[in-house]
Each structure stands twice: as structure tokens, then as C-alpha cells.
Amino acid sequence: MKKTKILSRIEAAKKAHELIEVHVKKQVDDFEVGFPIASDHRWLIIAAINTEGQFDGFTLFALKRIKKIKVGTAYLTIVHHYIDFAKAHQLYDPLKLADRQKQIKHWERNLSRQLLILLAKKRAFVTIGGRFKIIPTGRILAASAHGFTFQPFYEFNYTVADPLTISLKDIAFIQFWDIYDDLYQYTAPKIAKKTFQIQIKTD
């Protein structure tokens, strides 16, 4: 799909508050569903919806990595029903994560730069994908004009690897502010404190 058509579909869906499917290049039969909330000529941010119709944080996509945008599909009709069910049973967004879109929905350009600065300030946990082979979950430690410092994180034992510099040109997507990122943010300092106390006792 040509970039101009991708951009026009994004803009139309934003205005109509319409669900879209985002298909990324080299990810066969795998796509993300959500409501587009901010975009410029290089980036798209969606409010993501999971397969059960629940709010699932946000995702930043590099437009050059998007293969196609779909609207009005049979699957999206099903997801709409799932969303209605989740909302009716107070399951759609129990942690009120969607409220955070107020911080980003008014952005009209430099989406990646503004987002990375915001995430770095909070040392936020994210999940990234692109032209690299690393542990995809980790923390944003710092942001620059052309990339960011990323510290891979192992969620099974709460250990970390050495920080890496990731270039924006290699990014396909960044998932942020979902329930797992908040869970890691809450738990990490508690695990670190406990580890520190154990080390003190053994010294």
C-alpha cells in the first residue's frame, strides 16, 4: 500500500474514531488493532485493543514499516462487539490507562521525539521491535534527536543487560503504557530493594 493511501486512511479513521488494523512489513498474519490518536508524516500512535476487546496501552509505529492499514474488516466488527462486552462488564480499561492519551493526542509533529523524551523522564518500560535482535522489553533511559538509550530487561528474574543505543531508523514499533509496563514499573523498585537488603545481610 502506498504511503499516501496509508496516511489518508489514518486521517479518516482519526476523524471518525474508527478502529484500524495495522499490518507491519515482514510480520506475516500478525497485526495490531486500535484507534489512531496521533500521526505525522513519519509516525503513527494508536490506542491498542487486545484480542478480548480490552484497552491494551499504546503503540508508536514507523510509517515506513507499515505494509497496510485496513478498516471495516469482518475481524474489526467482531472486536467492536468485544469492546462493547468489555465496557458493559467494567473490563475494558480497569486501570484507566486510556486517560494518558490526553498527553499525546494533541501532538501533530515530531511524535517520536516528544514521546521518547516523555518516556525517558519516567524511565518507562516499553516493548520494541525493528531491525535488531535483542530482548524486546526494557527501559528508556535517555532520548536524543536520532534515537534513545534502551536497557533490556528480563521479566522472569528482574535483571537487566547493559544499555544499548537504538537508532530511530531501525524502529518498527514501540509499545508503551500497557498493563505489563505499569506492572514492571511498580515491581522493579520493590525487587531491587529486597535484593539490596539481602546483600546487606550477607556482607
Side-chain angles (χ1 to χ4, degrees), residues 1 5 7-9 24 31 36 42 46 96 98-99 119 140 171 174 196:
M1 182 179 287
K5 190 169 185 179
L7 287 169
S8 66
R9 285 199 174 175
V24 176
F31 57 89
R42 294 182 60 198
I46 68 168
K96 308 298 181 186
D99 291 347
L119 295 175
I140 304 287
I171 285 290
I174 301 175
F196 177 75

Side-chain angles (χ1 to χ4, degrees), residues 37-63:
I37 59 172
S39 61
D40 60 18
H41 68 288
R42 294 182 60 198
W43 304 94
L44 163 67
I45 297 177
I46 68 168
I49 305 296
N50 68 18
T51 53
E52 288 78 39
Q54 297 168 302
F55 182 80
D56 196 27
F58 302 87
T59 304
L60 172 81
F61 291 98
L63 285 184

Side-chain angles (χ1 to χ4, degrees), residues 11-190:
E11 287 304 310
K14 271 199 300 185
K15 291 177 182 177
H17 191 60
E18 185 178 13
L19 271 179
I20 62 173
E21 294 178 9
V22 182
H23 296 253
V24 176
K25 295 173 183 177
K26 297 184 179 180
Q27 290 187 326
V28 181
D29 297 326
D30 188 19
F31 57 89
E32 194 160 342
V33 169
F35 295 97
I37 59 172
S39 61
D40 60 18
H41 68 288
R42 294 182 60 198
W43 304 94
L44 163 67
I45 297 177
I46 68 168
I49 305 296
N50 68 18
T51 53
E52 288 78 39
Q54 297 168 302
F55 182 80
D56 196 27
F58 302 87
T59 304
L60 172 81
F61 291 98
L63 285 184
K64 66 180 180 181
R65 304 289 180 202
I66 295 177
K67 179 168 59 178
K68 56 189 172 183
I69 298 287
K70 289 187 176 183
V71 297
T73 65
Y75 179 69
L76 291 177
T77 299
I78 293 170
V79 174
H80 268 295
H81 290 302
Y82 287 174
I83 291 172
D84 291 342
F85 177 86
K87 287 182 175 179
H89 294 82
Q90 290 77 51
L91 298 172
Y92 176 70
D93 183 22
L95 298 184
K96 308 298 181 186
L97 298 174
D99 291 347
R100 299 181 190 178
Q101 75 178 36
K102 297 172 186 175
Q103 302 178 59
I104 56 180
K105 67 182 299 183
H106 63 280
W107 294 348
E108 295 180 354
R109 54 180 176 267
N110 299 324
L111 295 188
S112 61
R113 174 73 171 150
Q114 294 188 78
L115 176 63
L116 289 170
I117 289 173
L118 186 60
L119 295 175
K121 283 181 180 178
K122 298 183 180 297
R123 295 171 66 88
F125 284 92
V126 299
T127 300
I128 63 176
R131 295 190 304 182
F132 38 72
K133 292 183 179 181
I134 61 172
I135 299 298
T137 301
R139 266 182 158 155
I140 304 287
L141 302 183
S144 67
H146 303 291
F148 56 95
T149 303
F150 177 77
Q151 185 169 49
F153 164 79
Y154 301 89
E155 66 266 32
F156 297 110
N157 57 12
Y158 277 75
T159 58
V160 296
D162 292 334
L164 306 166
T165 299
I166 304 293
S167 174
L168 282 176
K169 65 181 177 60
D170 294 327
I171 285 290
F173 64 83
I174 301 175
Q175 296 170 331
F176 61 100
W177 291 346
D178 65 18
I179 188 170
Y180 293 106
D181 300 332
D182 272 27
L183 185 63
Y184 302 150
Q185 194 85 15
Y186 170 83
T187 308
K190 298 181 182 299

